[in-house]
Amino acid sequence: MQNQRTRQITNGALMAAVFTVLMAITVYVPIISLATLFFLALPVAWYSAKYPWKPSALFSLATFLLSLIIGGVFAVPVALLYIPFGLMIGLSIHYGKSKLFLFMGSSIVWLISVMVQYVAMIWLFGINVIEEYLTASKATLRNGSNWMERLGGTEEQIEQYNESVGNMLTTFETTLPALIILSVFVIVWFHLLINLPILKRLGTAIPKFPPFADMKLPKSVLWYYLIVLLISLLSEFEPGTIAFLAFANAMVLLQMLLFLQGIAFYHFYIQQEGWQNWVKVIVTVFAFPLQAFTIIVGIVDLGFDIRGWVKKAHDFKGK
């Protein structure tokens, strides 16, 4: 028991030192920090995967205090983002949760951390990052119309440019919440892609995802999509209203899910045919410019048992 306690403290001190070094590099060495950011959650994840939530919470608090000492206020936003993230990864592994739970839980923790810091910046410093970014984007695009005027563009061309830019900014501003959520899921996926294999090499038992080709969303996603689509077609929401924002962002998120379902069907079909993995890569790349078609494939795959038909056809050919 005493040896176990001593080992726990030793491991905590070692991982805290590793975290402190990574945090110092992240804060004080700008270029290298682009790489260290991907490994910053690793010490917290390793420790919390090895020990229960109480010592892991104490370890996380200690790493936060060390971050404050080493990096000052500049380290606080980074620490508040990566320490809870690493803690969620480690505890999910420690308590034997599935990889889907790990991914979803880590994404939600990351999203909450981002939103808390966003609200804190507005409340404490009066800085709205999103508004500042949109204002800068509008100014940049406005300069584009000025350049067109200087280069001899006609009034019709300038008007078309301003109209297309206005529509683009409106769409971007409307769907920004959904884009933020999607970007968080992508960022978390990249972090897990890098950190989970390292944790595995360090002796941590990592849960496995089922093959992407076997991915099948709940059929309720299809019903949600049809309901949102029907309401959007039958109703005329005023741009800028809460209802307009809610349905626009719901549509973006649901379309992205159906797009992934479509790609999963492509992978399933390629797997059934026994084609090489490079075919999956090419098909996935071409799925992006053919997004509308891939969404339709996802809808059909979710609504009808076409995978069963493909299996039967493949078995029949095999006979």
Side-chain angles (χ1 to χ4, degrees), residues 32 40-41 61 74 103 106 115 117 162 173 184 200 208 217 221 251 292 294:
I32 302 179
L40 201 56
L61 179 60
F74 297 104
F103 175 64
S106 301
M115 296 311 298
Q117 293 192 49
N162 289 331
E173 193 171 354
V184 164
K200 187 176 181 180
K208 292 183 178 180
L217 294 170
V221 172
M251 182 62 74
T294 305

Side-chain angles (χ1 to χ4, degrees), residues 15-16 19-20 23 37 39-46 48 56-68 75-91 106 109-110 113 117:
M15 288 299 108
F19 181 87
T20 303
M23 178 61 76
L37 278 172
F39 303 100
L40 201 56
L42 188 61
V44 182
W46 183 87
S48 51
S56 298
L58 289 173
F59 171 77
S60 300
L61 179 60
T63 53
F64 177 75
L65 294 175
L66 286 171
S67 302
L68 194 59
V76 172
V78 182
L80 290 177
L81 193 63
Y82 280 90
I83 291 174
F85 176 55
L87 186 65
M88 185 66 197
I89 294 172
L91 291 179
S106 301
V109 166
W110 189 291
S113 299
Q117 293 192 49

Side-chain angles (χ1 to χ4, degrees), residues 156-169:
E156 185 178 354
Q157 288 175 331
I158 295 172
E159 187 177 341
Q160 286 178 352
Y161 172 82
N162 289 331
E163 185 179 353
S164 61
V165 165
N167 291 335
M168 184 179 68
L169 283 172

Side-chain angles (χ1 to χ4, degrees), residues 130-166:
I130 294 176
E131 281 190 6
E132 294 287 340
Y133 176 76
L134 290 173
T135 302
S137 300
K138 289 175 183 177
T140 303
L141 294 170
R142 203 177 296 118
N143 289 334
S145 64
N146 293 336
W147 274 106
M148 286 183 66
E149 190 174 347
R150 290 175 188 174
L151 294 172
T154 63
E155 289 186 9
E156 185 178 354
Q157 288 175 331
I158 295 172
E159 187 177 341
Q160 286 178 352
Y161 172 82
N162 289 331
E163 185 179 353
S164 61
V165 165

Side-chain angles (χ1 to χ4, degrees), residues 16-17 40 50 52 54 74 83 85-86 90 117 123 129 153 183 193 208 211 227 234 237-238 240 257 268 284 296:
L40 201 56
K50 200 171 184 64
K54 282 187 179 179
F74 297 104
I83 291 174
F85 176 55
Q117 293 192 49
W123 184 51
V129 179
S183 64
L193 193 66
K208 292 183 178 180
I227 291 169
L234 297 179
F237 297 116
E238 193 71 27
L257 289 173
F268 170 81
T284 303
I296 293 172

Side-chain angles (χ1 to χ4, degrees), residues 210-246:
F212 181 67
D214 294 339
M215 188 189 92
K216 201 76 181 284
L217 294 170
K219 282 197 174 183
S220 56
V221 172
L222 181 59
W223 286 109
Y224 294 147
Y225 177 74
L226 293 175
I227 291 169
V228 170
L229 181 63
L230 188 62
I231 294 175
S232 300
L233 291 174
L234 297 179
S235 306
E236 294 184 3
F237 297 116
E238 193 71 27
T241 60
I242 294 176
F244 180 81
L245 292 171

